Amino acid sequence: MTDTVTESAGTTRPRIRVAAYVIRQRAEPGLLVFDHLGLPEAGTQIPAGGVRPGESLEEAVLREVYEETGLRSVVVRQIATENRAHPGTGQHRRTTYFYLRVAAETPDSWVHQVRGDGEDSGLAFGCRFLPLPLERPLADAQDTWLGCIDRRWTTPSGGRHGAVPGGRATASG
C-alpha cells in the first residue's frame, strides 16, 4: 500500500496504519520493541505497519506483530488513533494504537528475520522487552500513548498523551 491514496477530487486520504504496544506482564512489566540491525539511525520502535485492503485493524496489528517479531499476541483493546505526517516523507498517515499481551514466559530478547511481502521483508530486527516506564522516548514519538494503558508508563521526556507533534489524535478506552 502506498503512503497516501489520491481520490477522484484530487485530495489525498492518509495511509491507514496500526501500531502495537505489546506488554509482557511480569513483576516488572515490559514493552516489546525492536531495532533494525544494521540501521541504528532508525531508532528503537514498536511493531507497526499498513493495513491491507479488506483487513480489519485488529487483524492487521496481529499480523504486523507476528511478521516483525515472530510472536503471537492477543489484542486487549484499542488505545488511540493519531493523524500525523510521516517524519521523513511528510505523507499523511492515520495510525491506530493497540494494547496487546504476550505470555510472561516470552524470552527477554531475540533476533527475528522479518517475513511477509512488505518493504521490511528479509530485514533482521533485534527484539527485546524494555522495562516500563521507559527511560527514553521511542523513535517517531511511538511512546506517546503508553500512558493510556497505565498512567505510570508515560515517558517523562518524550511522548505524552495529548502532545502529538504536528497532528491530531483521539484516545479511546
Side-chain angles (χ1 to χ4, degrees), residues 26-84:
R26 288 188 176 173
E28 180 177 59
L31 173 69
L32 176 63
V33 298
F34 67 84
D35 294 292
H36 290 262
L37 300 181
L39 192 63
E41 61 272 17
T44 300
Q45 303 176 37
I46 58 173
V51 176
R52 294 176 178 164
E55 188 175 46
S56 73
L57 295 176
E58 284 192 8
E59 290 168 337
V61 76
L62 291 168
R63 176 185 48 78
E64 285 293 338
V65 170
Y66 182 71
E67 286 178 1
E68 295 182 353
T69 70
L71 290 182
R72 297 286 183 193
S73 54
V74 175
V75 173
V76 176
R77 71 177 193 269
Q78 182 176 322
I79 298 298
T81 300
E82 167 182 281
N83 294 294
R84 188 160 65 89

Side-chain angles (χ1 to χ4, degrees), residues 111-122:
V111 173
H112 178 74
Q113 185 159 356
V114 178
R115 299 181 190 118
D117 57 5
E119 60 190 44
D120 291 342
S121 184

Side-chain angles (χ1 to χ4, degrees), residues 66-169:
Y66 182 71
E67 286 178 1
E68 295 182 353
T69 70
L71 290 182
R72 297 286 183 193
S73 54
V74 175
V75 173
V76 176
R77 71 177 193 269
Q78 182 176 322
I79 298 298
T81 300
E82 167 182 281
N83 294 294
R84 188 160 65 89
H86 185 281
T89 67
Q91 296 296 320
H92 296 289
R93 58 189 182 165
R94 176 174 295 135
T95 304
T96 300
Y97 285 77
F98 285 87
Y99 167 27
L100 293 87
R101 286 193 187 151
V102 293
E105 301 79 34
T106 306
D108 293 336
S109 63
W110 66 98
V111 173
H112 178 74
Q113 185 159 356
V114 178
R115 299 181 190 118
D117 57 5
E119 60 190 44
D120 291 342
S121 184
L123 295 178
F125 289 166
C127 303
R128 68 188 188 283
F129 284 91
L130 291 178
L132 290 165
L134 299 175
E135 291 182 12
R136 289 188 302 272
L138 298 173
D140 193 21
Q142 290 180 331
D143 53 295
T144 297
W145 302 102
L146 275 169
C148 291
I149 300 171
D150 187 318
R151 290 180 189 261
R152 297 171 295 176
W153 296 349
T154 301
T155 308
S157 60
R160 293 182 182 271
H161 176 281
V164 180
R168 295 171 299 168

